[in-house]
Amino acid sequence: MLHTTNSSLTHPSLNSPIIHALFGGTFDPIHYGHLRPVEALAKLAGLKQVILLPNHVPPHRPQPEATAQQRLEMVRLAVQDNPLFTVDTRELQRQTPSYTIDTLKSFREEVGEQCPLAFIIGQDSLQAIHTWHRWSELLDICHLLVCSRPGYSKQLSTPEMQEWLEQHKIDTPAPLSHKSHGYIYLAETPLLDISATDIRRRHQQGLNCDDLLPPLIQNYIDSQQLYS
Ligand code: ATP
């Protein structure tokens, strides 16, 4: 059973199998740099639905400023009128933090072996992917869909990682629905120079954030006196 809100994940009217796409993040707070590139990616790759997965941040890592409940509420507010997105709370509901690979495995079990499953990340996350727990197994479970992010090269940092990328890279999104996992698609998405870190800093300094995140989230941040 998927812990999602909004509509069903199956689209029987489509001939090609639906791609189940997940987008994880700390979302402290969620901003246009998350939403706009993923919306563009969805158009490019024909994604009908994207499941947002707010992270459970492990205690040994720097903690988000907002609580898990506040981060979840901001994610929900950001997408409440956008049918592309649903929200899955499984990582937040766990008592212990889970690795991305484990979350992906739990989705894989739910959607079955044949169904295309994709995990969306920004280019900065692709650059750092070799630091993720059991990163080399990710493509055994899902595709990776990568959004452009300003300041991050499309080349990876070592010849070994670049070779891994070349082995799995596809130049068009079409093959994504033909296989259940194993491809990397570097999407040409709009470049938005926005980060949650910068938004938190701007809030603290009383600077305007109008172009950085939806008004509903700004109102929520103000009402909760977050990032002050
Ligand atoms: P922080 O500044 O706190 O590190 P962040 O803005 O990078 O946060 P996260 O919640 O850590 O946001 O990111 C979740 C995912 O969104 C990651 O895969 C990240 O690469 C991607 N992402 C975040 N901001 C952008 C952006 N401006 N453009 C493209 N991808 C982004």
Side-chain angles (χ1 to χ4, degrees), residues 23-28 31 33-34 37 120-125 147-150 192 194-197 200:
F23 181 42
T26 310
F27 302 131
D28 183 27
H31 52 67
H34 298 125
I120 301 171
I121 54 177
Q123 189 66 38
D124 56 311
S125 298
C147 293
S148 315
R149 188 166 187 178
L192 280 90
I194 303 176
S195 75
T197 305
R200 295 193 298 272

mmCIF file with all atom_site columns, all heavy atoms in Angstrom, residues 23-28 31 33-34 37 120-125 147-150 192 194-197 200, ligand 1:
data_model
loop_
_atom_site.group_PDB
_atom_site.id
_atom_site.type_symbol
_atom_site.label_atom_id
_atom_site.label_alt_id
_atom_site.label_comp_id
_atom_site.label_asym_id
_atom_site.label_entity_id
_atom_site.label_seq_id
_atom_site.pdbx_PDB_ins_code
_atom_site.Cartn_x
_atom_site.Cartn_y
_atom_site.Cartn_z
_atom_site.occupancy
_atom_site.B_iso_or_equiv
_atom_site.pdbx_formal_charge
_atom_site.auth_seq_id
_atom_site.auth_comp_id
_atom_site.auth_asym_id
_atom_site.auth_atom_id
_atom_site.pdbx_PDB_model_num
ATOM   1   N N   . PHE A 1 23  ? 10.768 11.800 -5.835  1.00 0.00 ? 23  PHE A N   1
ATOM   2   C CA  . PHE A 1 23  ? 11.686 12.927 -5.671  1.00 0.00 ? 23  PHE A CA  1
ATOM   3   C C   . PHE A 1 23  ? 11.869 13.179 -4.176  1.00 0.00 ? 23  PHE A C   1
ATOM   4   O O   . PHE A 1 23  ? 10.961 13.668 -3.501  1.00 0.00 ? 23  PHE A O   1
ATOM   5   C CB  . PHE A 1 23  ? 11.109 14.156 -6.382  1.00 0.00 ? 23  PHE A CB  1
ATOM   6   C CG  . PHE A 1 23  ? 11.979 15.382 -6.312  1.00 0.00 ? 23  PHE A CG  1
ATOM   7   C CD1 . PHE A 1 23  ? 13.354 15.322 -6.482  1.00 0.00 ? 23  PHE A CD1 1
ATOM   8   C CD2 . PHE A 1 23  ? 11.411 16.635 -6.092  1.00 0.00 ? 23  PHE A CD2 1
ATOM   9   C CE1 . PHE A 1 23  ? 14.150 16.454 -6.439  1.00 0.00 ? 23  PHE A CE1 1
ATOM   10  C CE2 . PHE A 1 23  ? 12.192 17.783 -6.042  1.00 0.00 ? 23  PHE A CE2 1
ATOM   11  C CZ  . PHE A 1 23  ? 13.561 17.691 -6.219  1.00 0.00 ? 23  PHE A CZ  1
ATOM   12  N N   . GLY A 1 24  ? 13.034 12.801 -3.669  1.00 0.00 ? 24  GLY A N   1
ATOM   13  C CA  . GLY A 1 24  ? 13.308 12.942 -2.243  1.00 0.00 ? 24  GLY A CA  1
ATOM   14  C C   . GLY A 1 24  ? 14.046 14.235 -1.939  1.00 0.00 ? 24  GLY A C   1
ATOM   15  O O   . GLY A 1 24  ? 14.758 14.780 -2.785  1.00 0.00 ? 24  GLY A O   1
ATOM   16  N N   . GLY A 1 25  ? 13.851 14.735 -0.719  1.00 0.00 ? 25  GLY A N   1
ATOM   17  C CA  . GLY A 1 25  ? 14.590 15.932 -0.323  1.00 0.00 ? 25  GLY A CA  1
ATOM   18  C C   . GLY A 1 25  ? 14.320 16.277 1.124   1.00 0.00 ? 25  GLY A C   1
ATOM   19  O O   . GLY A 1 25  ? 13.381 15.757 1.737   1.00 0.00 ? 25  GLY A O   1
ATOM   20  N N   . THR A 1 26  ? 15.146 17.150 1.648   1.00 0.00 ? 26  THR A N   1
ATOM   21  C CA  . THR A 1 26  ? 14.917 17.633 3.009   1.00 0.00 ? 26  THR A CA  1
ATOM   22  C C   . THR A 1 26  ? 13.787 18.659 3.008   1.00 0.00 ? 26  THR A C   1
ATOM   23  O O   . THR A 1 26  ? 13.017 18.749 3.971   1.00 0.00 ? 26  THR A O   1
ATOM   24  C CB  . THR A 1 26  ? 16.219 18.246 3.574   1.00 0.00 ? 26  THR A CB  1
ATOM   25  O OG1 . THR A 1 26  ? 17.274 17.303 3.368   1.00 0.00 ? 26  THR A OG1 1
ATOM   26  C CG2 . THR A 1 26  ? 16.101 18.535 5.051   1.00 0.00 ? 26  THR A CG2 1
ATOM   27  N N   . PHE A 1 27  ? 13.707 19.422 1.939   1.00 0.00 ? 27  PHE A N   1
ATOM   28  C CA  . PHE A 1 27  ? 12.621 20.389 1.753   1.00 0.00 ? 27  PHE A CA  1
ATOM   29  C C   . PHE A 1 27  ? 12.486 21.303 2.987   1.00 0.00 ? 27  PHE A C   1
ATOM   30  O O   . PHE A 1 27  ? 11.418 21.424 3.576   1.00 0.00 ? 27  PHE A O   1
ATOM   31  C CB  . PHE A 1 27  ? 11.295 19.672 1.459   1.00 0.00 ? 27  PHE A CB  1
ATOM   32  C CG  . PHE A 1 27  ? 11.353 18.780 0.238   1.00 0.00 ? 27  PHE A CG  1
ATOM   33  C CD1 . PHE A 1 27  ? 10.899 17.465 0.280   1.00 0.00 ? 27  PHE A CD1 1
ATOM   34  C CD2 . PHE A 1 27  ? 11.860 19.254 -0.964  1.00 0.00 ? 27  PHE A CD2 1
ATOM   35  C CE1 . PHE A 1 27  ? 10.950 16.639 -0.847  1.00 0.00 ? 27  PHE A CE1 1
ATOM   36  C CE2 . PHE A 1 27  ? 11.923 18.434 -2.105  1.00 0.00 ? 27  PHE A CE2 1
ATOM   37  C CZ  . PHE A 1 27  ? 11.465 17.129 -2.038  1.00 0.00 ? 27  PHE A CZ  1
ATOM   38  N N   . ASP A 1 28  ? 13.582 21.959 3.328   1.00 0.00 ? 28  ASP A N   1
ATOM   39  C CA  . ASP A 1 28  ? 13.646 22.826 4.515   1.00 0.00 ? 28  ASP A CA  1
ATOM   40  C C   . ASP A 1 28  ? 14.003 24.256 4.114   1.00 0.00 ? 28  ASP A C   1
ATOM   41  O O   . ASP A 1 28  ? 15.067 24.737 4.490   1.00 0.00 ? 28  ASP A O   1
ATOM   42  C CB  . ASP A 1 28  ? 14.699 22.255 5.484   1.00 0.00 ? 28  ASP A CB  1
ATOM   43  C CG  . ASP A 1 28  ? 14.806 23.039 6.786   1.00 0.00 ? 28  ASP A CG  1
ATOM   44  O OD1 . ASP A 1 28  ? 13.810 23.661 7.187   1.00 0.00 ? 28  ASP A OD1 1
ATOM   45  O OD2 . ASP A 1 28  ? 15.896 23.034 7.390   1.00 0.00 ? 28  ASP A OD2 1
ATOM   46  N N   . HIS A 1 31  ? 11.051 24.686 -2.469  1.00 0.00 ? 31  HIS A N   1
ATOM   47  C CA  . HIS A 1 31  ? 11.134 25.976 -3.191  1.00 0.00 ? 31  HIS A CA  1
ATOM   48  C C   . HIS A 1 31  ? 10.983 25.748 -4.698  1.00 0.00 ? 31  HIS A C   1
ATOM   49  O O   . HIS A 1 31  ? 10.902 24.608 -5.162  1.00 0.00 ? 31  HIS A O   1
ATOM   50  C CB  . HIS A 1 31  ? 12.455 26.681 -2.838  1.00 0.00 ? 31  HIS A CB  1
ATOM   51  C CG  . HIS A 1 31  ? 13.701 25.854 -3.010  1.00 0.00 ? 31  HIS A CG  1
ATOM   52  N ND1 . HIS A 1 31  ? 14.157 25.444 -4.253  1.00 0.00 ? 31  HIS A ND1 1
ATOM   53  C CD2 . HIS A 1 31  ? 14.590 25.340 -2.105  1.00 0.00 ? 31  HIS A CD2 1
ATOM   54  C CE1 . HIS A 1 31  ? 15.286 24.750 -4.096  1.00 0.00 ? 31  HIS A CE1 1
ATOM   55  N NE2 . HIS A 1 31  ? 15.565 24.649 -2.798  1.00 0.00 ? 31  HIS A NE2 1
ATOM   56  N N   . GLY A 1 33  ? 13.130 25.981 -6.949  1.00 0.00 ? 33  GLY A N   1
ATOM   57  C CA  . GLY A 1 33  ? 14.254 25.207 -7.499  1.00 0.00 ? 33  GLY A CA  1
ATOM   58  C C   . GLY A 1 33  ? 13.996 23.710 -7.444  1.00 0.00 ? 33  GLY A C   1
ATOM   59  O O   . GLY A 1 33  ? 14.620 22.937 -8.174  1.00 0.00 ? 33  GLY A O   1
ATOM   60  N N   . HIS A 1 34  ? 13.086 23.284 -6.557  1.00 0.00 ? 34  HIS A N   1
ATOM   61  C CA  . HIS A 1 34  ? 12.637 21.886 -6.566  1.00 0.00 ? 34  HIS A CA  1
ATOM   62  C C   . HIS A 1 34  ? 11.513 21.701 -7.592  1.00 0.00 ? 34  HIS A C   1
ATOM   63  O O   . HIS A 1 34  ? 11.509 20.751 -8.361  1.00 0.00 ? 34  HIS A O   1
ATOM   64  C CB  . HIS A 1 34  ? 12.065 21.480 -5.189  1.00 0.00 ? 34  HIS A CB  1
ATOM   65  C CG  . HIS A 1 34  ? 13.050 21.541 -4.060  1.00 0.00 ? 34  HIS A CG  1
ATOM   66  N ND1 . HIS A 1 34  ? 12.839 22.268 -2.914  1.00 0.00 ? 34  HIS A ND1 1
ATOM   67  C CD2 . HIS A 1 34  ? 14.256 20.937 -3.894  1.00 0.00 ? 34  HIS A CD2 1
ATOM   68  C CE1 . HIS A 1 34  ? 13.857 22.125 -2.089  1.00 0.00 ? 34  HIS A CE1 1
ATOM   69  N NE2 . HIS A 1 34  ? 14.739 21.325 -2.656  1.00 0.00 ? 34  HIS A NE2 1
ATOM   70  N N   . PRO A 1 37  ? 12.079 22.699 -12.056 1.00 0.00 ? 37  PRO A N   1
ATOM   71  C CA  . PRO A 1 37  ? 12.828 21.726 -12.866 1.00 0.00 ? 37  PRO A CA  1
ATOM   72  C C   . PRO A 1 37  ? 12.107 20.378 -12.948 1.00 0.00 ? 37  PRO A C   1
ATOM   73  O O   . PRO A 1 37  ? 12.108 19.742 -14.006 1.00 0.00 ? 37  PRO A O   1
ATOM   74  C CB  . PRO A 1 37  ? 14.175 21.599 -12.128 1.00 0.00 ? 37  PRO A CB  1
ATOM   75  C CG  . PRO A 1 37  ? 14.317 22.867 -11.372 1.00 0.00 ? 37  PRO A CG  1
ATOM   76  C CD  . PRO A 1 37  ? 12.926 23.246 -10.953 1.00 0.00 ? 37  PRO A CD  1
ATOM   77  N N   . ILE A 1 120 ? 14.357 10.922 -8.905  1.00 0.00 ? 120 ILE A N   1
ATOM   78  C CA  . ILE A 1 120 ? 14.759 12.228 -9.446  1.00 0.00 ? 120 ILE A CA  1
ATOM   79  C C   . ILE A 1 120 ? 15.741 12.890 -8.482  1.00 0.00 ? 120 ILE A C   1
ATOM   80  O O   . ILE A 1 120 ? 15.504 12.929 -7.276  1.00 0.00 ? 120 ILE A O   1
ATOM   81  C CB  . ILE A 1 120 ? 13.522 13.136 -9.620  1.00 0.00 ? 120 ILE A CB  1
ATOM   82  C CG1 . ILE A 1 120 ? 12.517 12.484 -10.563 1.00 0.00 ? 120 ILE A CG1 1
ATOM   83  C CG2 . ILE A 1 120 ? 13.933 14.517 -10.119 1.00 0.00 ? 120 ILE A CG2 1
ATOM   84  C CD1 . ILE A 1 120 ? 11.164 13.214 -10.615 1.00 0.00 ? 120 ILE A CD1 1
ATOM   85  N N   . ILE A 1 121 ? 16.820 13.424 -9.047  1.00 0.00 ? 121 ILE A N   1
ATOM   86  C CA  . ILE A 1 121 ? 17.788 14.162 -8.230  1.00 0.00 ? 121 ILE A CA  1
ATOM   87  C C   . ILE A 1 121 ? 18.256 15.392 -9.006  1.00 0.00 ? 121 ILE A C   1
ATOM   88  O O   . ILE A 1 121 ? 18.083 15.467 -10.223 1.00 0.00 ? 121 ILE A O   1
ATOM   89  C CB  . ILE A 1 121 ? 19.032 13.296 -7.862  1.00 0.00 ? 121 ILE A CB  1
ATOM   90  C CG1 . ILE A 1 121 ? 19.685 12.713 -9.118  1.00 0.00 ? 121 ILE A CG1 1
ATOM   91  C CG2 . ILE A 1 121 ? 18.668 12.192 -6.887  1.00 0.00 ? 121 ILE A CG2 1
ATOM   92  C CD1 . ILE A 1 121 ? 20.962 11.917 -8.845  1.00 0.00 ? 121 ILE A CD1 1
ATOM   93  N N   . GLY A 1 122 ? 18.872 16.327 -8.299  1.00 0.00 ? 122 GLY A N   1
ATOM   94  C CA  . GLY A 1 122 ? 19.515 17.459 -8.958  1.00 0.00 ? 122 GLY A CA  1
ATOM   95  C C   . GLY A 1 122 ? 20.948 17.091 -9.331  1.00 0.00 ? 122 GLY A C   1
ATOM   96  O O   . GLY A 1 122 ? 21.508 16.112 -8.818  1.00 0.00 ? 122 GLY A O   1
ATOM   97  N N   . GLN A 1 123 ? 21.525 17.916 -10.209 1.00 0.00 ? 123 GLN A N   1
ATOM   98  C CA  . GLN A 1 123 ? 22.883 17.634 -10.691 1.00 0.00 ? 123 GLN A CA  1
ATOM   99  C C   . GLN A 1 123 ? 23.898 17.598 -9.539  1.00 0.00 ? 123 GLN A C   1
ATOM   100 O O   . GLN A 1 123 ? 24.846 16.824 -9.563  1.00 0.00 ? 123 GLN A O   1
ATOM   101 C CB  . GLN A 1 123 ? 23.278 18.701 -11.711 1.00 0.00 ? 123 GLN A CB  1
ATOM   102 C CG  . GLN A 1 123 ? 24.572 18.433 -12.458 1.00 0.00 ? 123 GLN A CG  1
ATOM   103 C CD  . GLN A 1 123 ? 24.503 17.218 -13.378 1.00 0.00 ? 123 GLN A CD  1
ATOM   104 O OE1 . GLN A 1 123 ? 23.479 16.973 -14.018 1.00 0.00 ? 123 GLN A OE1 1
ATOM   105 N NE2 . GLN A 1 123 ? 25.573 16.457 -13.437 1.00 0.00 ? 123 GLN A NE2 1
ATOM   106 N N   . ASP A 1 124 ? 23.681 18.391 -8.491  1.00 0.00 ? 124 ASP A N   1
ATOM   107 C CA  . ASP A 1 124 ? 24.597 18.373 -7.338  1.00 0.00 ? 124 ASP A CA  1
ATOM   108 C C   . ASP A 1 124 ? 24.554 17.012 -6.650  1.00 0.00 ? 124 ASP A C   1
ATOM   109 O O   . ASP A 1 124 ? 25.593 16.488 -6.201  1.00 0.00 ? 124 ASP A O   1
ATOM   110 C CB  . ASP A 1 124 ? 24.245 19.483 -6.329  1.00 0.00 ? 124 ASP A CB  1
ATOM   111 C CG  . ASP A 1 124 ? 22.812 19.395 -5.844  1.00 0.00 ? 124 ASP A CG  1
ATOM   112 O OD1 . ASP A 1 124 ? 21.897 19.280 -6.682  1.00 0.00 ? 124 ASP A OD1 1
ATOM   113 O OD2 . ASP A 1 124 ? 22.594 19.421 -4.613  1.00 0.00 ? 124 ASP A OD2 1
ATOM   114 N N   . SER A 1 125 ? 23.371 16.412 -6.582  1.00 0.00 ? 125 SER A N   1
ATOM   115 C CA  . SER A 1 125 ? 23.267 15.088 -5.957  1.00 0.00 ? 125 SER A CA  1
ATOM   116 C C   . SER A 1 125 ? 23.948 14.027 -6.825  1.00 0.00 ? 125 SER A C   1
ATOM   117 O O   . SER A 1 125 ? 24.564 13.099 -6.294  1.00 0.00 ? 125 SER A O   1
ATOM   118 C CB  . SER A 1 125 ? 21.805 14.702 -5.747  1.00 0.00 ? 125 SER A CB  1
ATOM   119 O OG  . SER A 1 125 ? 21.189 15.617 -4.881  1.00 0.00 ? 125 SER A OG  1
ATOM   120 N N   . CYS A 1 147 ? 17.986 16.542 -12.849 1.00 0.00 ? 147 CYS A N   1
ATOM   121 C CA  . CYS A 1 147 ? 17.655 17.915 -13.248 1.00 0.00 ? 147 CYS A CA  1
ATOM   122 C C   . CYS A 1 147 ? 18.927 18.761 -13.238 1.00 0.00 ? 147 CYS A C   1
ATOM   123 O O   . CYS A 1 147 ? 19.771 18.621 -12.345 1.00 0.00 ? 147 CYS A O   1
ATOM   124 C CB  . CYS A 1 147 ? 16.665 18.534 -12.266 1.00 0.00 ? 147 CYS A CB  1
ATOM   125 S SG  . CYS A 1 147 ? 15.046 17.760 -12.293 1.00 0.00 ? 147 CYS A SG  1
ATOM   126 N N   . SER A 1 148 ? 19.024 19.677 -14.195 1.00 0.00 ? 148 SER A N   1
ATOM   127 C CA  . SER A 1 148 ? 20.152 20.608 -14.218 1.00 0.00 ? 148 SER A CA  1
ATOM   128 C C   . SER A 1 148 ? 20.113 21.486 -12.968 1.00 0.00 ? 148 SER A C   1
ATOM   129 O O   . SER A 1 148 ? 19.038 21.777 -12.441 1.00 0.00 ? 148 SER A O   1
ATOM   130 C CB  . SER A 1 148 ? 20.053 21.538 -15.431 1.00 0.00 ? 148 SER A CB  1
ATOM   131 O OG  . SER A 1 148 ? 19.725 20.842 -16.598 1.00 0.00 ? 148 SER A OG  1
ATOM   132 N N   . ARG A 1 149 ? 21.275 21.867 -12.488 1.00 0.00 ? 149 ARG A N   1
ATOM   133 C CA  . ARG A 1 149 ? 21.340 22.833 -11.376 1.00 0.00 ? 149 ARG A CA  1
ATOM   134 C C   . ARG A 1 149 ? 22.514 23.763 -11.645 1.00 0.00 ? 149 ARG A C   1
ATOM   135 O O   . ARG A 1 149 ? 23.619 23.276 -11.931 1.00 0.00 ? 149 ARG A O   1
ATOM   136 C CB  . ARG A 1 149 ? 21.507 22.105 -10.037 1.00 0.00 ? 149 ARG A CB  1
ATOM   137 C CG  . ARG A 1 149 ? 21.380 23.057 -8.858  1.00 0.00 ? 149 ARG A CG  1
ATOM   138 C CD  . ARG A 1 149 ? 21.201 22.335 -7.530  1.00 0.00 ? 149 ARG A CD  1
ATOM   139 N NE  . ARG A 1 149 ? 20.930 23.324 -6.496  1.00 0.00 ? 149 ARG A NE  1
ATOM   140 C CZ  . ARG A 1 149 ? 20.685 23.059 -5.230  1.00 0.00 ? 149 ARG A CZ  1
ATOM   141 N NH1 . ARG A 1 149 ? 20.655 21.798 -4.816  1.00 0.00 ? 149 ARG A NH1 1
ATOM   142 N NH2 . ARG A 1 149 ? 20.455 24.015 -4.360  1.00 0.00 ? 149 ARG A NH2 1
ATOM   143 N N   . PRO A 1 150 ? 22.313 25.091 -11.562 1.00 0.00 ? 150 PRO A N   1
ATOM   144 C CA  . PRO A 1 150 ? 23.394 26.011 -11.891 1.00 0.00 ? 150 PRO A CA  1
ATOM   145 C C   . PRO A 1 150 ? 24.617 25.757 -11.020 1.00 0.00 ? 150 PRO A C   1
ATOM   146 O O   . PRO A 1 150 ? 24.482 25.494 -9.829  1.00 0.00 ? 150 PRO A O   1
ATOM   147 C CB  . PRO A 1 150 ? 22.816 27.396 -11.592 1.00 0.00 ? 150 PRO A CB  1
ATOM   148 C CG  . PRO A 1 150 ? 21.379 27.212 -11.317 1.00 0.00 ? 150 PRO A CG  1
ATOM   149 C CD  . PRO A 1 150 ? 21.098 25.761 -11.117 1.00 0.00 ? 150 PRO A CD  1
ATOM   150 N N   . LEU A 1 192 ? 17.609 27.139 -12.122 1.00 0.00 ? 192 LEU A N   1
ATOM   151 C CA  . LEU A 1 192 ? 17.157 28.068 -11.073 1.00 0.00 ? 192 LEU A CA  1
ATOM   152 C C   . LEU A 1 192 ? 18.182 28.082 -9.955  1.00 0.00 ? 192 LEU A C   1
ATOM   153 O O   . LEU A 1 192 ? 18.408 27.056 -9.301  1.00 0.00 ? 192 LEU A O   1
ATOM   154 C CB  . LEU A 1 192 ? 15.785 27.642 -10.524 1.00 0.00 ? 192 LEU A CB  1
ATOM   155 C CG  . LEU A 1 192 ? 14.606 28.044 -11.405 1.00 0.00 ? 192 LEU A CG  1
ATOM   156 C CD1 . LEU A 1 192 ? 14.281 26.965 -12.407 1.00 0.00 ? 192 LEU A CD1 1
ATOM   157 C CD2 . LEU A 1 192 ? 13.399 28.352 -10.556 1.00 0.00 ? 192 LEU A CD2 1
ATOM   158 N N   . ILE A 1 194 ? 18.532 28.575 -6.884  1.00 0.00 ? 194 ILE A N   1
ATOM   159 C CA  . ILE A 1 194 ? 17.797 28.682 -5.607  1.00 0.00 ? 194 ILE A CA  1
ATOM   160 C C   . ILE A 1 194 ? 18.230 27.520 -4.729  1.00 0.00 ? 194 ILE A C   1
ATOM   161 O O   . ILE A 1 194 ? 18.312 26.384 -5.197  1.00 0.00 ? 194 ILE A O   1
ATOM   162 C CB  . ILE A 1 194 ? 16.268 28.580 -5.837  1.00 0.00 ? 194 ILE A CB  1
ATOM   163 C CG1 . ILE A 1 194 ? 15.793 29.661 -6.818  1.00 0.00 ? 194 ILE A CG1 1
ATOM   164 C CG2 . ILE A 1 194 ? 15.514 28.685 -4.515  1.00 0.00 ? 194 ILE A CG2 1
ATOM   165 C CD1 . ILE A 1 194 ? 14.305 29.552 -7.170  1.00 0.00 ? 194 ILE A CD1 1
ATOM   166 N N   . SER A 1 195 ? 18.496 27.801 -3.462  1.00 0.00 ? 195 SER A N   1
ATOM   167 C CA  . SER A 1 195 ? 18.746 26.704 -2.514  1.00 0.00 ? 195 SER A CA  1
ATOM   168 C C   . SER A 1 195 ? 18.012 27.012 -1.216  1.00 0.00 ? 195 SER A C   1
ATOM   169 O O   . SER A 1 195 ? 17.775 28.177 -0.871  1.00 0.00 ? 195 SER A O   1
ATOM   170 C CB  . SER A 1 195 ? 20.245 26.535 -2.235  1.00 0.00 ? 195 SER A CB  1
ATOM   171 O OG  . SER A 1 195 ? 20.699 27.563 -1.384  1.00 0.00 ? 195 SER A OG  1
ATOM   172 N N   . ALA A 1 196 ? 17.664 25.949 -0.495  1.00 0.00 ? 196 ALA A N   1
ATOM   173 C CA  . ALA A 1 196 ? 16.992 26.118 0.792   1.00 0.00 ? 196 ALA A CA  1
ATOM   174 C C   . ALA A 1 196 ? 17.899 26.862 1.771   1.00 0.00 ? 196 ALA A C   1
ATOM   175 O O   . ALA A 1 196 ? 17.430 27.684 2.569   1.00 0.00 ? 196 ALA A O   1
ATOM   176 C CB  . ALA A 1 196 ? 16.587 24.752 1.344   1.00 0.00 ? 196 ALA A CB  1
ATOM   177 N N   . THR A 1 197 ? 19.194 26.584 1.696   1.00 0.00 ? 197 THR A N   1
ATOM   178 C CA  . THR A 1 197 ? 20.154 27.260 2.580   1.00 0.00 ? 197 THR A CA  1
ATOM   179 C C   . THR A 1 197 ? 20.067 28.772 2.390   1.00 0.00 ? 197 THR A C   1
ATOM   180 O O   . THR A 1 197 ? 20.013 29.542 3.353   1.00 0.00 ? 197 THR A O   1
ATOM   181 C CB  . THR A 1 197 ? 21.596 26.800 2.259   1.00 0.00 ? 197 THR A CB  1
ATOM   182 O OG1 . THR A 1 197 ? 21.635 25.381 2.358   1.00 0.00 ? 197 THR A OG1 1
ATOM   183 C CG2 . THR A 1 197 ? 22.607 27.419 3.200   1.00 0.00 ? 197 THR A CG2 1
ATOM   184 N N   . ARG A 1 200 ? 16.795 30.210 3.794   1.00 0.00 ? 200 ARG A N   1
ATOM   185 C CA  . ARG A 1 200 ? 16.826 30.334 5.265   1.00 0.00 ? 200 ARG A CA  1
ATOM   186 C C   . ARG A 1 200 ? 17.647 31.570 5.671   1.00 0.00 ? 200 ARG A C   1
ATOM   187 O O   . ARG A 1 200 ? 17.255 32.328 6.559   1.00 0.00 ? 200 ARG A O   1
ATOM   188 C CB  . ARG A 1 200 ? 17.405 29.059 5.906   1.00 0.00 ? 200 ARG A CB  1
ATOM   189 C CG  . ARG A 1 200 ? 16.544 27.822 5.697   1.00 0.00 ? 200 ARG A CG  1
ATOM   190 C CD  . ARG A 1 200 ? 16.983 26.671 6.601   1.00 0.00 ? 200 ARG A CD  1
ATOM   191 N NE  . ARG A 1 200 ? 18.340 26.228 6.348   1.00 0.00 ? 200 ARG A NE  1
ATOM   192 C CZ  . ARG A 1 200 ? 18.693 25.303 5.460   1.00 0.00 ? 200 ARG A CZ  1
ATOM   193 N NH1 . ARG A 1 200 ? 17.770 24.702 4.713   1.00 0.00 ? 200 ARG A NH1 1
ATOM   194 N NH2 . ARG A 1 200 ? 19.957 24.945 5.307   1.00 0.00 ? 200 ARG A NH2 1
HETATM 195 P P1  . ATP B 2 .   ? 19.990 22.827 1.163   1.00 0.00 ? 1   ATP B P1  1
HETATM 196 O O1  . ATP B 2 .   ? 20.356 24.178 0.603   1.00 0.00 ? 1   ATP B O1  1
HETATM 197 O O2  . ATP B 2 .   ? 19.401 22.881 2.557   1.00 0.00 ? 1   ATP B O2  1
HETATM 198 O O3  . ATP B 2 .   ? 21.089 21.806 1.006   1.00 0.00 ? 1   ATP B O3  1
HETATM 199 P P2  . ATP B 2 .   ? 18.486 22.184 -1.258  1.00 0.00 ? 1   ATP B P2  1
HETATM 200 O O4  . ATP B 2 .   ? 17.919 23.475 -1.719  1.00 0.00 ? 1   ATP B O4  1
HETATM 201 O O5  . ATP B 2 .   ? 19.680 21.654 -1.997  1.00 0.00 ? 1   ATP B O5  1
HETATM 202 O O6  . ATP B 2 .   ? 18.762 22.265 0.305   1.00 0.00 ? 1   ATP B O6  1
HETATM 203 P P3  . ATP B 2 .   ? 17.265 19.573 -0.844  1.00 0.00 ? 1   ATP B P3  1
HETATM 204 O O7  . ATP B 2 .   ? 15.971 19.370 -0.152  1.00 0.00 ? 1   ATP B O7  1
HETATM 205 O O8  . ATP B 2 .   ? 18.500 19.169 -0.143  1.00 0.00 ? 1   ATP B O8  1
HETATM 206 O O9  . ATP B 2 .   ? 17.316 21.134 -1.277  1.00 0.00 ? 1   ATP B O9  1
HETATM 207 O O10 . ATP B 2 .   ? 17.236 18.940 -2.300  1.00 0.00 ? 1   ATP B O10 1
HETATM 208 C C1  . ATP B 2 .   ? 16.416 17.880 -2.693  1.00 0.00 ? 1   ATP B C1  1
HETATM 209 C C2  . ATP B 2 .   ? 16.745 17.558 -4.138  1.00 0.00 ? 1   ATP B C2  1
HETATM 210 O O11 . ATP B 2 .   ? 16.469 18.689 -4.961  1.00 0.00 ? 1   ATP B O11 1
HETATM 211 C C3  . ATP B 2 .   ? 18.211 17.199 -4.399  1.00 0.00 ? 1   ATP B C3  1
HETATM 212 O O12 . ATP B 2 .   ? 18.269 16.109 -5.317  1.00 0.00 ? 1   ATP B O12 1
HETATM 213 C C4  . ATP B 2 .   ? 18.773 18.445 -5.031  1.00 0.00 ? 1   ATP B C4  1
HETATM 214 O O13 . ATP B 2 .   ? 19.822 18.126 -5.909  1.00 0.00 ? 1   ATP B O13 1
HETATM 215 C C5  . ATP B 2 .   ? 17.572 18.998 -5.775  1.00 0.00 ? 1   ATP B C5  1
HETATM 216 N N1  . ATP B 2 .   ? 17.604 20.452 -5.910  1.00 0.00 ? 1   ATP B N1  1
HETATM 217 C C6  . ATP B 2 .   ? 17.542 21.364 -4.910  1.00 0.00 ? 1   ATP B C6  1
HETATM 218 N N2  . ATP B 2 .   ? 17.592 22.614 -5.388  1.00 0.00 ? 1   ATP B N2  1
HETATM 219 C C7  . ATP B 2 .   ? 17.684 22.514 -6.738  1.00 0.00 ? 1   ATP B C7  1
HETATM 220 C C8  . ATP B 2 .   ? 17.791 23.478 -7.814  1.00 0.00 ? 1   ATP B C8  1
HETATM 221 N N3  . ATP B 2 .   ? 17.826 24.787 -7.582  1.00 0.00 ? 1   ATP B N3  1
HETATM 222 N N4  . ATP B 2 .   ? 17.865 22.987 -9.083  1.00 0.00 ? 1   ATP B N4  1
HETATM 223 C C9  . ATP B 2 .   ? 17.861 21.648 -9.318  1.00 0.00 ? 1   ATP B C9  1
HETATM 224 N N5  . ATP B 2 .   ? 17.775 20.699 -8.349  1.00 0.00 ? 1   ATP B N5  1
HETATM 225 C C10 . ATP B 2 .   ? 17.690 21.114 -7.080  1.00 0.00 ? 1   ATP B C10 1
#
